[in-house]
Amino acid sequence: MSKVIINSYDEFAALLGKNIGVSDYVELTQERISLFADATLDHQWIHVDTERAAVESPFKTTIAHGYLTLSMLPYLWNQIIEVNNLKMMVNYGMDKMKFGQAVKSGESIRLVADLHSITNLRGTVKAEIKFSIEIKDQKKKALEGIATFLYYFN
């Protein structure tokens, strides 16, 4: 699917209730998981100790941090949409976020995004994006929720 290009509020609003797009898959490697552990100081064995996880984990391998999965949202979102004529964009919040299934080391995830709501606040656009992070070849989603972004148009 090609990237959606948005140049104005009206173009954005035309997507209300529609699927905006689906990103490519990105693999959550053990290296990425370990780097995230270093960055966040969260070195829980289920994420970083491959030998222990193989024996003690119900997944039989390490798993990505839930917040690593969530933190991939901006990267994946940028594959789906390009919003032009902006001063800036701000992450405003998350609602109804729920982790559904762990992402095992080496699995790939992608983003599916729909425009849930949009409001014009005198030149600032508040867009609520209903999102799900899917795991390749898995029925259950890794993560679902609503991400709210503020777009400040020129």
Side-chain angles (χ1 to χ4, degrees):
M1 188 171 202
S2 61
K3 188 183 266 195
V4 173
I5 307 295
I6 300 294
N7 294 299
S8 68
Y9 170 81
D10 291 333
E11 289 179 13
F12 216 152
L15 296 171
L16 183 60
K18 297 179 183 171
N19 178 264
I20 299 170
V22 179
S23 74
D24 293 331
Y25 282 103
V26 63
E27 184 180 356
L28 297 188
T29 63
Q30 185 59 51
E31 179 183 15
R32 188 183 308 270
I33 294 166
S34 295
L35 287 169
F36 188 84
D38 290 344
T40 60
L41 306 178
D42 180 357
H43 292 95
Q44 185 182 161
W45 68 267
I46 194 84
H47 304 302
V48 297
D49 190 334
T50 56
E51 291 175 13
R52 183 175 176 187
V55 175
E56 295 182 36
S57 167
F59 306 105
K60 299 302 177 201
T61 187
T62 55
I63 60 171
H65 304 72
Y67 289 123
L68 168 56
T69 304
L70 175 62
S71 76
M72 297 303 295
L73 185 65
Y75 170 76
L76 298 170
W77 178 239
N78 285 331
Q79 290 184 10
I80 292 173
I81 194 167
E82 179 181 319
V83 183
N84 297 320
N85 303 316
L86 290 179
K87 294 177 203 169
M88 67 178 167
M89 187 275 284
V90 175
N91 294 318
Y92 189 68
M94 293 284 172
D95 292 305
K96 300 181 182 178
M97 193 178 74
K98 191 174 285 189
F99 294 101
Q101 179 171 307
V103 179
K104 297 176 189 173
S105 175
E107 287 187 316
S108 295
I109 60 170
R110 72 176 180 183
L111 172 65
V112 178
D114 302 330
L115 183 56
H116 180 70
S117 75
I118 187 165
T119 308
N120 189 344
L121 306 170
R122 288 182 251 145
T124 301
V125 175
K126 180 181 173 186
E128 292 183 328
I129 310 303
K130 184 177 180 188
F131 71 90
S132 56
I133 305 270
E134 298 179 341
I135 305 168
K136 190 173 189 176
D137 300 324
Q138 298 292 323
K139 290 181 183 176
K140 197 169 183 184
K141 294 171 178 53
L143 176 61
E144 293 182 285
I146 298 174
T148 304
F149 302 117
L150 297 178
Y151 291 92
Y152 294 83
F153 281 92
N154 288 319

